[in-house]
Amino acid sequence: MTVYVDYWHFDENYIASWASMSVANPVEIHQATFELALDRRDETKYVLSERAGYEWFSLVYPSHVAKVKETLQAYVNNEKVFSVVNSYCNGLLTFDEWNSRIKADIEWIDRYGNAWISTGPFMLTKLDKDAQVLELTAFRDPTYPFKPGDWYFGIPVPATIKSVKIESPLAGKVVPGSDASIRIDVAGLPPLHVKYILRDAAGNIIAFAEAEKIGDYSFSIELPASLTAEFTPGAKYALQLIAYSDVVAMPDIKKEIFETATTAEIVSLQRAAFEKALEGVSARVGSLEQAVHSASARIGTIESKVAEQTERLTSVEAQLSSLQTMLYVVLALSIIALLLAVLLLLRKPKPT
């Protein structure tokens, strides 16, 4: 059997429980209901939903119950109706059981005045809709294996969403085109989880995922700039959150509405960012100017030292030139002296 329901939940187990089916009333009561409120509704004026000019069918209204009893009486030994109903039961119902069930239903109606026959720990034994009185009688099966308290395991600790905080350039708002982070703090028995759905004002789903776990009780939803760039300035967005635990089947569901920054706020943020960037550039220019002045001063010092060294080198060169001249003079005098000595030796008279 495949069941389709118009229902959604973060936890698929809850969807399954919502779609679970159970027979609330005996199959022959269902058959009588369908006949009276569907097949013969133009005759009975009974329907199973609101409709102008018709009555909403009930198994407890006296006039409706009388019709149910009348219909059940017509089902006794009715093989045609039995064949239809038994097809719903996969052929498991016998004809004798069919008649016995109808007999029991009629006895119930005669005894309690209603056709609400079901299962559970209580029976509807009295109903006076005019006096607004309803009486339930406890049904206690002595063969039931459990006693009060067998299924009590203490007060559960449900998962709870404690706080939701948006972290972005503009406090409490998401700025279109900028990164944003949503911090969720929860309480409960770990391991805990958080899932979310983000919708726009029209109800369209923008994002659906599990929040990033950053601690045992802390989660984060990251909205990148590529996503927020599609957001409409000055619009409202709905963030649906569910926090749940692996050990306690009691989730906490919370809906947060947040706004995006308006166009004026975005322009103001951009202006502030530009001014801040300009201040940074100005500071860097000032720092560069100081560096240039310092470098210029150092260059001047270096030039002064170079000039001083140049003067010293010129002085040394002059001294060297003077020494060279004196050396040449001394050398010339030495040569002259040597020549004179040679001449004197040549002119010396020879001995006789």
Side-chain angles (χ1 to χ4, degrees):
M1 178 183 293
T2 303
V3 180
Y4 296 91
V5 292
D6 185 14
Y7 178 73
W8 185 91
H9 198 278
F10 290 91
D11 190 340
E12 292 183 352
N13 293 318
Y14 281 82
I15 301 178
S17 66
W18 182 269
S20 63
M21 296 184 65
S22 62
V23 179
N25 308 110
V27 66
E28 62 276 5
I29 296 293
H30 279 289
Q31 175 61 28
T33 299
F34 295 152
E35 179 179 335
L36 292 169
L38 290 176
D39 301 337
R40 296 167 52 195
R41 63 185 175 187
D42 291 335
E43 171 195 340
T44 63
K45 298 301 180 182
Y46 298 156
V47 288
L48 296 177
S49 60
E50 188 174 357
R51 186 174 181 180
Y54 290 77
E55 292 183 63
W56 201 320
F57 181 74
S58 172
L59 291 173
V60 297
Y61 290 170
S63 60
H64 296 199
V65 174
K67 282 288 186 182
V68 171
K69 179 180 177 180
E70 178 185 310
T71 304
L72 289 173
Q73 289 172 334
Y75 288 169
V76 176
N77 294 320
N78 191 322
E79 293 187 0
K80 181 179 179 180
V81 177
F82 166 73
S83 178
V84 173
V85 174
N86 202 23
S87 66
Y88 303 148
C89 304
N90 295 325
L92 299 176
L93 190 63
T94 68
F95 195 59
D96 289 339
E97 288 175 332
W98 168 255
N99 286 324
S100 297
R101 292 168 69 93
I102 294 174
K103 179 182 178 182
D105 294 337
I106 294 173
E107 289 177 354
W108 176 284
I109 293 172
D110 290 339
R111 182 174 181 179
Y112 298 115
N114 68 76
W116 184 259
I117 306 170
S118 186
T119 59
F122 294 94
M123 302 180 298
L124 178 60
T125 55
K126 182 179 180 180
L127 176 68
D128 187 339
K129 68 182 185 67
D130 296 327
Q132 295 291 294
V133 174
L134 181 147
E135 184 178 286
L136 298 177
T137 301
F139 175 73
R140 297 293 181 258
D141 184 352
T143 64
Y144 189 68
F146 304 107
K147 63 181 183 299
D150 283 353
W151 295 99
Y152 179 74
F153 301 102
I155 299 175
V157 179
T160 306
I161 299 172
K162 305 295 291 185
S163 65
V164 180
K165 182 180 179 182
I166 297 177
E167 298 174 354
S168 74
L170 187 63
K173 291 186 176 183
V174 173
V175 180
S178 298
D179 293 334
S181 178
I182 302 177
R183 171 73 176 264
I184 303 109
D185 293 325
V186 301
L189 297 178
L192 294 160
H193 307 274
V194 173
K195 291 184 178 181
Y196 69 92
I197 289 181
L198 181 60
R199 298 176 184 268
D200 61 18
N204 300 312
I205 296 178
I206 299 173
F208 164 51
E210 185 164 350
E212 179 185 357
K213 191 169 188 176
I214 57 178
D216 287 343
Y217 304 97
S218 300
F219 296 82
S220 177
I221 298 173
E222 301 300 325
L223 303 179
S226 58
L227 176 63
T228 64
E230 304 297 326
F231 288 8
T232 303
K236 292 184 178 181
Y237 290 78
L239 180 65
Q240 292 177 303
L241 300 166
I242 180 171
Y244 61 96
S245 168
D246 286 347
V247 295
V248 179
M250 295 181 66
D252 187 20
I253 300 175
K254 191 171 187 178
K255 184 176 182 180
E256 289 284 329
I257 304 295
F258 67 84
E259 296 182 359
T260 56
T262 63
T263 303
E265 290 172 328
I266 295 173
V267 171
S268 178
L269 286 172
Q270 292 174 341
R271 183 185 296 112
F274 176 76
E275 292 175 351
K276 185 176 181 180
L278 188 60
E279 289 177 0
V281 171
S282 299
R284 290 182 181 180
V285 170
S287 178
L288 288 173
E289 288 178 346
Q290 290 180 356
V292 168
H293 288 315
S294 177
S296 298
R298 291 181 181 179
I299 290 172
T301 301
I302 291 172
E303 289 177 344
S304 176
K305 289 183 178 181
V306 169
E308 182 180 346
Q309 294 298 325
T310 301
E311 290 179 1
R312 289 182 181 180
L313 184 60
T314 302
S315 176
V316 170
E317 288 177 347
Q319 292 177 5
L320 287 174
S321 179
S322 178
L323 288 174
Q324 188 177 20
T325 302
M326 291 178 66
L327 181 62
Y328 288 157
V329 171
V330 171
L331 182 60
L333 291 175
S334 297
I335 294 171
I336 294 171
L338 181 61
L339 292 173
L340 289 174
V342 172
L343 288 175
L344 288 175
L345 289 174
L346 292 175
R347 291 182 179 181
K348 186 176 179 181
K350 296 181 181 180
T352 58

